[in-house]
Amino acid sequence: MPSISQNSQLSVDIVVPVYNEGEIVRQTFEHICSIVDHLPYNFSFLYVNDGSTDDTLDVLTALAEKDPRVHFLDLSRNFGHQAALTAGMNTSTGDIVITMDGDGQHPPEVIPQLLNLVKQGYDIVQTQRMSEAQPSWFKSWTSSTFYKLINVISGTYIVPASADFRALTRQAVDALKTMPEYHRFLRGLVSYIGFSMVILPYKPVPRVGGKSKYSLGKMVRLAMDAIFSFSLIPLYIGISMGGLLLCLALLEIIYVFSFWVRGQTSGLTTDWISLMFVTLIVGGILMILLGFIGVYVGYIFQEVKHRPVYIIKQPAKKENSD
Ligand code: UDP
Ligand code: MG
């Protein structure tokens, strides 16, 4: 692969997933062109039509006929934003890949900065929405709560308020391709692969037109994909609950015993004491066993994701290799 810092005529693929964006896709394309046409790179556009039911495909076909830099993939149905982005990245061939939304919310004015940072040697330039520019209080609150939670329970640090607006070197894209897991949360996977990453804050702008395709259901599904694919902590709940129940059984016995050694009675009926003790012990043991099963399921889950055990950035140089 050519050295990013030396070669100025690098190829850059702009990957844009689109779902029912027919009324604005031409406008946002022209906006991106107005920025990138002045930059010294070989640009290609790779649109991914994610099962649109409007005229998005017709608009993309017309754009591709008019401009040889425009290419598109047409998915067989709506697979969702993360899947569409993955399809685009897997098909891309450029030295650098930029992913961005097709609704104009990711300002193309940021592209020169993304590329400058890649040229400075960063493999991943991850954008971050500036906090004062959130679209609505609901999105702002759910987003900040989500990132706080995920960063407490996940072993991978995920940049808060990060967007799927980023530049990646070919090496970083190839590393992402080694993770074929089904439930994808790209903001986590991008942090997981390592390499040198820099955060670039940007001010999001309102949609050029059309409506958000992220319904509440899709947001919840994305959050669940993130939590369950980046954390095994929910599986340890059984063990913790079991431990808690056994501790309560122990406390009950200590309480009753403390009266018994002093020759007094605790005021609790013997029926209640024995029933509660058995319930706590049996419940605790069951919860712990359930927790063990949870941990095994977690390990199976990690194996079936087929994530690589490691990712090599620079292969070892072998002397006398021919
Ligand atoms: N998108 C997609 N498939 C989907 C949902 C969204 O390809 O199932 C695209 C959409 O056309 C847009 C980008 O992903 O280009 C971001 O979606 P949207 O703007 O609706 O999300 P929001 O900005 O509201 O979070
Ligand atoms: Mg949007």
Side-chain angles (χ1 to χ4, degrees), residues 46-112:
L46 182 53
Y47 281 92
V48 184
N49 178 34
D50 185 18
S52 299
T53 50
D54 67 350
D55 62 344
T56 302
L57 187 61
D58 300 333
V59 180
L60 291 179
T61 311
L63 283 179
E65 272 168 13
K66 222 175 120 202
D67 189 332
R69 297 174 304 171
V70 178
H71 308 271
F72 61 87
L73 296 175
D74 186 25
L75 303 187
S76 61
R77 65 166 170 86
N78 178 243
F79 282 89
H81 182 211
Q82 304 290 296
L85 277 171
T86 305
M89 284 193 293
N90 288 355
T91 313
S92 70
T93 52
D95 301 315
I96 302 168
V97 175
I98 293 177
T99 60
M100 60 195 294
D101 289 354
D103 60 357
Q105 284 196 284
H106 294 162
E109 287 74 12
V110 174
I111 293 178

Side-chain angles (χ1 to χ4, degrees), residues 17 19 21 50 78 81 102-103 105 139 207 212-213 218:
Y19 175 49
E21 307 287 12
D50 185 18
N78 178 243
H81 182 211
D103 60 357
Q105 284 196 284
K139 276 215 169 187
R207 258 182 169 268
S212 170
K213 310 300 176 308
K218 276 190 176 176

Side-chain angles (χ1 to χ4, degrees), residues 36-224:
V36 302
D37 284 350
H38 308 292
L39 300 175
Y41 296 86
N42 289 324
F43 284 96
S44 291
F45 292 82
L46 182 53
Y47 281 92
V48 184
N49 178 34
D50 185 18
S52 299
T53 50
D54 67 350
D55 62 344
T56 302
L57 187 61
D58 300 333
V59 180
L60 291 179
T61 311
L63 283 179
E65 272 168 13
K66 222 175 120 202
D67 189 332
R69 297 174 304 171
V70 178
H71 308 271
F72 61 87
L73 296 175
D74 186 25
L75 303 187
S76 61
R77 65 166 170 86
N78 178 243
F79 282 89
H81 182 211
Q82 304 290 296
L85 277 171
T86 305
M89 284 193 293
N90 288 355
T91 313
S92 70
T93 52
D95 301 315
I96 302 168
V97 175
I98 293 177
T99 60
M100 60 195 294
D101 289 354
D103 60 357
Q105 284 196 284
H106 294 162
E109 287 74 12
V110 174
I111 293 178
Q113 285 169 279
L114 289 175
L115 291 170
N116 277 341
L117 287 163
V118 173
K119 271 197 134 185
Q120 282 173 29
Y122 292 103
D123 287 289
I124 301 165
V125 187
Q126 172 64 58
T127 66
Q128 182 181 42
R129 282 191 310 270
M130 284 180 198
S131 53
E132 73 272 22
Q134 291 282 12
S136 71
W137 73 265
F138 180 70
K139 276 215 169 187
S140 155
W141 180 78
T142 46
S143 165
S144 70
T145 310
F146 165 74
Y147 282 105
K148 271 184 208 138
L149 173 72
I150 190 91
N151 280 322
V152 168
I153 65 173
S154 153
T156 306
Y157 176 70
I158 299 169
V159 181
S162 54
D164 284 311
F165 180 27
R166 63 177 74 87
L168 301 154
T169 58
R170 170 70 10 216
Q171 205 180 8
V173 174
D174 287 343
L176 283 176
K177 281 162 80 172
T178 62
M179 278 171 284
E181 59 204 69
Y182 183 79
H183 293 281
R184 303 180 76 78
F185 180 60
L186 281 163
R187 285 159 239 182
L189 292 176
V190 163
S191 295
Y192 181 87
I193 58 173
F195 295 102
S196 50
M197 176 158 87
V198 63
I199 297 168
L200 178 64
Y202 78 100
K203 214 173 168 167
V205 283
R207 258 182 169 268
V208 177
K211 279 193 296 200
S212 170
K213 310 300 176 308
Y214 259 98
S215 56
L216 186 62
K218 276 190 176 176
M219 271 166 67
V220 170
R221 242 171 291 148
L222 183 67
M224 280 175 59

